[in-house]
């Protein structure tokens, strides 16, 4: 985990450049719990994780949002995310 | 010199849309500026930052809550944005609309509706009034209002709206919210025209 590594340093982040996180990748591909409001494609690039717990009033303490970017070049809203508990993608 | 910590008031917007903006470093965030102006504009963060050389100010903030802190802020002078959109003669106030719509401006202040604040237009031209996107040498943190926090150092802290995504130049604020000039004015009975 590499906290405060990029913008918005009020919350720790975990960096997962590219598609190097297999468990997140699998979860995103299955579309479970994701936030995908545009084209319905299932091929995503996986980006940073943003810690949500404590910072947001409505989130569980162990919740993170993982950045997903749709690889469909025709997607009108490619940037999205998936909320995951820490245990599902941090080892 | 600056303080190690700056007290946080309020919690960020709970909407999924805000969280998605945040996890992607606000690439998709847009600031809409309109109302009683000649030239309404919509800006992304890079365009906003490119409008003018950033203004940096180091301020000792003494809060009525009983804490004080020295912070260094970096942002766009609001006057430069006004120069761009050119307020019409009818414009008398500036309304800052935020992405905070949970009806909760801070843990101790519960209310309802979208958080907003209104200030007199003349304050837009004070050199201490900036739209801050940086704090203490870093990008503005989420907990402090990312991507944009109004810093109007000639006024009290509650006027400094966080998580801004829309600015309207208006001639009358009585039709907004409960009409008292801000979310805290409407919900927790603060005074719009309180001064330091």
């Amino acid at each position: 985990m590499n906290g405060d590594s990029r913008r918005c340093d009020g919350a720790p982040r975990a960096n997962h450049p590219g598609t190097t996180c297999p468990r997140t990748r699998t979860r995103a591909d299955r579309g479970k719990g994701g936030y995908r409001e545009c084209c319905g494609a299932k091929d995503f690039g996986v980006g940073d994780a943003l810690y949500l717990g404590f910072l947001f009033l409505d989130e569980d303490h162990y919740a993170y949002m993982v950045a997903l970017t749709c690889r469909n070049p025709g997607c009108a809203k490619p940037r999205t995310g998936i909320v995951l508990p820490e245990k599902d993608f941090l080892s | 010199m600056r303080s190690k910590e700056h007290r946080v008031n309020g919690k960020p917007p709970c909407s999924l849309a805000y969280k998605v903006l945040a996890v992607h470093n606000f690439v998709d965030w847009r600031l809409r500026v309109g109302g009683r102006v000649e030239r309404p504009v919509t800006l992304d963060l890079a365009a906003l930052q490119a409008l003018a050389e950033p203004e940096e100010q180091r301020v000792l903030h003494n809060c009525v809550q009983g804490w004080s802190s020295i912070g260094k802020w970096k942002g766009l002078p609001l006057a430069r944005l006004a120069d761009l959109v050119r307020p019409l003669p009818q414009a008398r106030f500036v309304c800052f609309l935020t992405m905070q719509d949970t009806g909760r401006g801070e843990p101790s202040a519960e209310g309802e509706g979208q958080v907003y604040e209104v200030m007199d237009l003349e304050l837009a031209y004070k050199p201490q009034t900036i739209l801050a996107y940086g704090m203490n040498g870093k990008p503005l943190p989420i907990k402090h209002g990312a991507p944009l926090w109004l810093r109007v150092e000639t006024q009290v802290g509650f006027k400094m709206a966080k998580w801004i995504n829309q600015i309207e130049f208006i001639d009358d604020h009585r039709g907004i919210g409960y009409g008292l000039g801000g979310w805290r004015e409407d919900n927790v009975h603060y005074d719009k025209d309180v001064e330091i």
Side-chain angles (χ1 to χ4, degrees):
Chain A
M1 180 156 169
N2 185 8
D4 292 357
S5 61
R6 292 180 57 181
R7 291 183 50 88
C8 315
D9 52 344
R13 285 170 178 271
N15 289 337
H16 297 286
T19 56
T20 58
C21 178
R23 280 195 291 176
T24 303
R25 176 97 217 131
T26 302
R27 190 74 184 269
D29 286 347
R30 289 176 181 169
K32 291 182 179 177
Y35 173 55
R36 299 182 299 141
E37 65 175 22
C38 190
C39 71
K42 295 182 179 178
D43 186 15
F44 294 97
V46 180
D48 284 352
L50 171 69
Y51 178 58
L52 301 177
F54 181 76
L55 186 58
F56 292 88
L57 284 171
D58 64 337
E59 294 289 351
D60 293 332
H61 183 65
Y62 298 106
Y64 283 74
M65 175 169 274
V66 178
L68 301 176
T69 302
C70 180
R71 294 186 190 277
N72 174 9
C75 183
K77 197 167 184 180
R79 281 176 285 275
T80 184
I82 184 172
V83 177
L84 295 173
E86 178 181 329
K87 64 181 176 57
D88 276 13
F89 73 104
L90 289 178
S91 55
Chain B
M1 179 181 171
R2 64 175 174 83
S3 301
K4 190 173 181 181
E5 292 290 335
H6 191 85
R7 182 190 164 100
V8 175
N9 272 333
K11 285 286 194 177
C14 287
S15 71
L16 205 50
Y18 178 81
K19 293 166 189 168
V20 170
L21 285 175
V23 80
H24 287 280
N25 289 324
F26 299 100
V27 169
D28 288 328
W29 172 85
R30 297 291 182 273
L31 177 69
R32 289 177 291 152
V33 187
R36 303 288 191 183
V37 298
E38 289 182 19
R39 186 189 173 204
V41 296
T42 300
L43 304 166
D44 63 20
L45 193 54
L48 180 97
Q49 292 170 341
L51 283 180
E53 284 296 309
E55 177 75 20
E56 289 196 336
Q57 53 193 22
R58 196 181 303 251
V59 179
L60 168 61
H61 185 91
N62 292 302
C63 184
V64 294
Q65 292 171 324
W67 55 271
S68 62
S69 176
I70 299 172
K72 190 172 81 168
W73 316 102
K74 176 181 173 182
L76 173 74
L78 185 56
R80 299 289 78 76
L81 185 62
D83 291 343
L84 177 69
V85 299
R86 298 192 291 271
L88 295 168
Q90 306 96 295
R92 295 176 54 215
F93 307 100
V94 189
C95 180
F96 301 87
L97 295 139
T98 78
M99 294 177 274
Q100 178 57 280
D101 60 357
T102 59
R104 193 165 183 173
E106 55 192 80
S108 60
E110 295 188 37
E112 57 186 41
Q114 182 181 11
V115 174
Y116 74 99
E117 284 297 336
V118 173
M119 70 180 198
D120 295 346
L121 178 60
E122 64 188 43
L123 290 172
Y125 296 96
K126 299 283 187 186
Q128 302 92 340
T129 305
I130 67 172
L131 295 168
Y133 47 75
M135 176 182 180
N136 294 335
K138 296 180 179 178
L140 188 65
I142 290 171
K143 64 182 179 182
H144 285 301
L148 208 58
W149 184 5
L150 169 67
R151 298 297 306 181
V152 50
E153 305 293 352
T154 57
Q155 301 295 296
V156 292
F158 77 87
K159 300 301 294 183
M160 303 185 197
K162 301 175 179 178
W163 307 293
I164 295 168
N165 70 346
Q166 187 176 356
I167 298 173
E168 293 280 304
F169 291 78
I170 57 179
D171 55 3
D172 191 344
H173 61 74
R174 289 175 296 179
I176 304 170
Y178 292 141
L180 299 179
W183 187 91
R184 286 177 179 76
E185 289 86 335
D186 286 344
N187 288 280
V188 288
H189 311 298
Y190 287 6
D191 181 357
K192 169 187 170 294
D193 296 318
V194 67
E195 294 181 347
I196 57 173

